[in-house]
Structures are given as C-alpha cells and as structure tokens.
Amino acid sequence: MSSINEAGLQPPYPLHSSIKDKLDPAYVSFYNAHIFDKQQVHLQPVSASRTSGILIPGGGPKLPVGKTEDIQIQRKETEGPDVSIRVFTPEGERPVDGWPVMVYYHGGGWVLGNIETENTVCTNLCKRAGCVVISVDYRLAPEDPYPAAIHDSWEALLWLQSTGFSLLNLNPSKVAIGGSSAGGNLAAIMCHKALSSPSLVPKFKTQLLIVPVTDNTASPSSTPSWKENELSPALPAEKMMWYRRHYLPDEKTWAEPEASPLLYEDGWGEQPKALVVVGELDVLRSEGQEYAEKLKRNGVEADLKVMKGMPHPFLAMDGVLQQGRDTITFMVEALKEVFA
C-alpha cells in the first residue's frame, strides 16, 4: 500500500491528489488549518499517540447531564481486571418505569481512545434522547489484543442484566446498544453474541452502528471502498491495517465472526433494528453498507445513511462538520423512536 503522504514519512501531510477534490470543503478547510502538520498515528509509537492529546480534533462541546458516575464492575465469565464504565444520567425526574438505557462503545481502532473519548456523543444521547448512557472502557491492543475487548464488552452486558438495571433504576425493556468504528464493531458483535445467552444479557431495541468495522478481511484488492479510498485522510488503508495488526496479530483470526461480524452465518433475522451511518470517502464504507444490506435481506429494519464527502471521523468532528451534527441527531431520533 502507498503512504497517504506524497512527500515522505514526516509532516506535513497534504491531502492526497486522489481524494482531495472529493472531500467536503468544510473538512478540507479544517484539515489544512489544524491536521495536515500533525504526525500520523500509524507512523509513530502507540504510546506517543495515546499521550498526544485529543484523539480527533474538531469535536463539539459536552452537554450538561444530571449526573456522571464512573463504576468498576467485577467479571462474571472472563479473566482480567475489573471493567470500568461511565454512566451518564439525564437531568429531571426518572420515568415511573425506569430510565431507558444506551450501552456505548468508543472508537479508536481497539488501540486508542478511552472512557473520555466520546463524551460529547454520550452526553448528547443522554440529554437529547432522555436516556442513561453507559460507556464501556474496554482494554486496548497491543497490550490486550483480541479477544480482550470482546470480553470486556460482554462483561458490561452481563453486569447490566444482573446488577445495573436495579442499581441505576433502568427499564429492562428499553435497551439500545451502539458505538463508532471499532466500537461499532463491538456493538454489532454483542448483538450476535447475545442470541446465544438470551437470559444473561439484555434484549436490544436497536443498534446504532456508526462507521463500523464489520469485515477484518477487507483489503484494497477485495473491497470497493478500500480501493477507492485507500489514501483518504484520517483512516487510509495503511492506518487501518496498522490498527488491525495490533488488535488481531494472528491473521488466522481475521475471519472469525467475533472479529468480523459481517461473516456470522446465522442469527441475522433475529437482530435488532439498526441505524448504520457510513462516510462516502471512508475505507470502511463498503463493509458498513454490506452489513446493513444483509440485515435487510433477512427481514430486519436497517436505516443506512451515507454521509457525502466525508472521510472516517466525521462523528467526532461535530464541532466543525454538519455531517457530524446530523449523525448525532440521527442517533438521538433512533433512540427516541424505540424508547417512546
């Protein structure tokens, strides 16, 4: 694969000639002002990327909520340290039948990001959809590669069913799940995994999958959007492979359904309704589209939205991109519909 940078391995990184004229002008303007002179994540040590500050610049402000609380939960089925979650509770009086709840998994390629990363999204969902939001701080690769993130994501659901509903005064009949990028991958996997343990974890009303990774076997030679957007900013194919190799160091695991939920063979007709949002200029676009289409073919309602002119990180850039703000609104509306 070619590097996104036509000049070399060090900044600046001008937008590649194959993609720059396709990008939304608002993104181009922000990129040229704030991003092009910063070192690329996949061209420096993981530790440097984790300590460099904001994961993706351009995010909007957090919204005020009634309460934010961090909780450590003990494991029931897997080995490892306690799992950290952050609970956002709306302002105002709790509904008589308990708060609706959204379980959310952040992005960052299973390598970057933490419980702070998507507080803007979480507070928007909490305040605007009137639901409790539980953000899961799953372990990261390369220190804790696959399936550590799967185990942590699952433990959060086991805790919710056994303890969380009563502890947080939640409504067990109004539960949603979702996430962005790597978090969208985890959310989709949890929906499939839940089918094998229907009494141990909640039943989901909807899944919100934003720029999700659904096929870790995808490549420029096999997948249209990987070829078209190989040198797209923010997540060029080379960078996606960097994430994949950290999280899935054993290539034999790439096609396992708990790494690539698009490759599950069964259970598609039992999936919850879905909102799937992808970027037109994202390498992950095709696999997100295929995931939504597979749900539809199996009789599941799936609302697919393609954000024009957008590379991968538009959700996290809601402070400067209308498409990011629109995506948060799509998520809020989807939650309000199923929680009504």
Side-chain angles (χ1 to χ4, degrees), residues 147-279:
I150 303 294
H151 291 168
D152 296 358
S153 300
W154 183 247
E155 290 289 352
L157 301 181
L158 293 172
W159 173 86
L160 179 59
Q161 183 79 353
S162 67
T163 306
F165 285 133
S166 57
L167 180 68
L168 302 174
N169 297 302
L170 306 177
N171 185 334
S173 69
K174 295 183 177 181
V175 186
I177 191 168
S180 69
S181 195
N185 168 271
L186 296 172
I189 291 162
M190 292 304 105
C191 287
H192 283 275
K193 193 171 169 65
L195 297 178
S196 63
S197 304
S199 64
L200 297 181
V201 295
K203 183 175 177 61
F204 305 115
K205 302 282 284 186
T206 190
Q207 53 185 321
L208 310 184
L209 310 179
I210 313 303
V211 293
V213 184
T214 71
D215 183 2
N216 269 306
T217 70
S219 71
S221 63
S222 67
T223 307
S225 62
W226 273 68
K227 182 176 182 179
E228 296 165 17
N229 304 314
E230 183 175 0
L231 300 171
S232 187
L235 191 65
E238 179 184 17
K239 183 177 178 182
M240 185 62 216
M241 291 302 301
W242 180 85
Y243 284 130
R244 183 187 293 172
R245 292 187 185 280
H246 278 309
Y247 179 57
L248 298 161
D250 182 356
E251 191 168 342
K252 292 192 296 290
T253 65
W254 292 4
E256 292 181 2
E258 288 197 359
S260 298
L262 183 64
L263 305 184
Y264 274 101
E265 293 183 0
D266 303 317
W268 286 91
E270 301 169 77
Q271 290 297 296
K273 66 182 296 185
L275 168 69
V276 182
V277 185
V278 298

Side-chain angles (χ1 to χ4, degrees), residues 9-322:
L9 296 180
Q10 296 297 324
Y13 301 95
L15 291 166
H16 197 273
S17 57
S18 67
I19 201 81
K20 63 181 181 180
D21 293 336
K22 302 176 185 178
L23 290 159
D24 185 283
Y27 180 86
V28 172
S29 178
F30 187 84
Y31 181 94
N32 287 335
H34 299 284
I35 300 176
F36 91 110
D37 59 346
K38 305 298 189 296
Q39 179 58 289
Q40 292 282 326
V41 162
H42 61 294
L43 300 178
Q44 64 182 1
V46 171
S47 58
S49 295
R50 288 179 179 164
T51 58
S52 61
I54 297 172
L55 184 59
I56 299 172
K62 294 183 288 187
L63 298 186
V65 298
K67 180 181 177 183
T68 302
E69 178 182 13
D70 290 352
I71 299 175
Q72 299 293 114
I73 63 177
Q74 295 184 340
R75 293 175 184 272
K76 297 181 179 298
E77 291 188 358
T78 61
E79 297 295 324
D82 291 351
V83 180
S84 299
I85 61 172
R86 176 163 292 171
V87 180
F88 302 87
T89 303
E91 300 169 310
E93 189 172 343
R94 184 182 75 247
V96 174
D97 56 355
W99 291 111
V101 58
M102 166 78 179
V103 181
Y104 191 84
Y105 302 101
H106 68 78
W110 313 278
V111 175
L112 305 176
N114 54 45
I115 206 165
E116 304 286 345
T117 302
E118 296 191 41
N119 284 345
T120 293
V121 174
C122 291
T123 56
N124 266 271
L125 300 182
C126 176
K127 183 177 182 68
R128 295 169 59 190
C131 66
V132 165
V133 177
I134 297 175
S135 178
V136 182
D137 195 21
Y138 54 89
R139 287 171 294 171
L140 301 175
E143 298 86 349
D144 293 291
Y146 171 86
I150 303 294
H151 291 168
D152 296 358
S153 300
W154 183 247
E155 290 289 352
L157 301 181
L158 293 172
W159 173 86
L160 179 59
Q161 183 79 353
S162 67
T163 306
F165 285 133
S166 57
L167 180 68
L168 302 174
N169 297 302
L170 306 177
N171 185 334
S173 69
K174 295 183 177 181
V175 186
I177 191 168
S180 69
S181 195
N185 168 271
L186 296 172
I189 291 162
M190 292 304 105
C191 287
H192 283 275
K193 193 171 169 65
L195 297 178
S196 63
S197 304
S199 64
L200 297 181
V201 295
K203 183 175 177 61
F204 305 115
K205 302 282 284 186
T206 190
Q207 53 185 321
L208 310 184
L209 310 179
I210 313 303
V211 293
V213 184
T214 71
D215 183 2
N216 269 306
T217 70
S219 71
S221 63
S222 67
T223 307
S225 62
W226 273 68
K227 182 176 182 179
E228 296 165 17
N229 304 314
E230 183 175 0
L231 300 171
S232 187
L235 191 65
E238 179 184 17
K239 183 177 178 182
M240 185 62 216
M241 291 302 301
W242 180 85
Y243 284 130
R244 183 187 293 172
R245 292 187 185 280
H246 278 309
Y247 179 57
L248 298 161
D250 182 356
E251 191 168 342
K252 292 192 296 290
T253 65
W254 292 4
E256 292 181 2
E258 288 197 359
S260 298
L262 183 64
L263 305 184
Y264 274 101
E265 293 183 0
D266 303 317
W268 286 91
E270 301 169 77
Q271 290 297 296
K273 66 182 296 185
L275 168 69
V276 182
V277 185
V278 298
E280 179 190 21
L281 305 179
D282 185 2
V283 291
L284 303 180
R285 186 198 71 227
S286 294
E287 61 201 78
Q289 291 172 315
E290 288 179 34
Y291 200 86
E293 292 304 323
K294 196 165 185 177
L295 289 170
K296 291 178 183 178
R297 287 198 303 272
N298 284 274
V300 175
E301 183 180 345
D303 183 10
L304 172 65
K305 297 184 183 297
V306 180
M307 307 308 282
K308 300 297 183 184
M310 285 293 104
H312 183 71
F314 57 88
L315 174 67
M317 298 178 68
D318 63 297
V320 295
L321 296 178
Q322 183 62 47

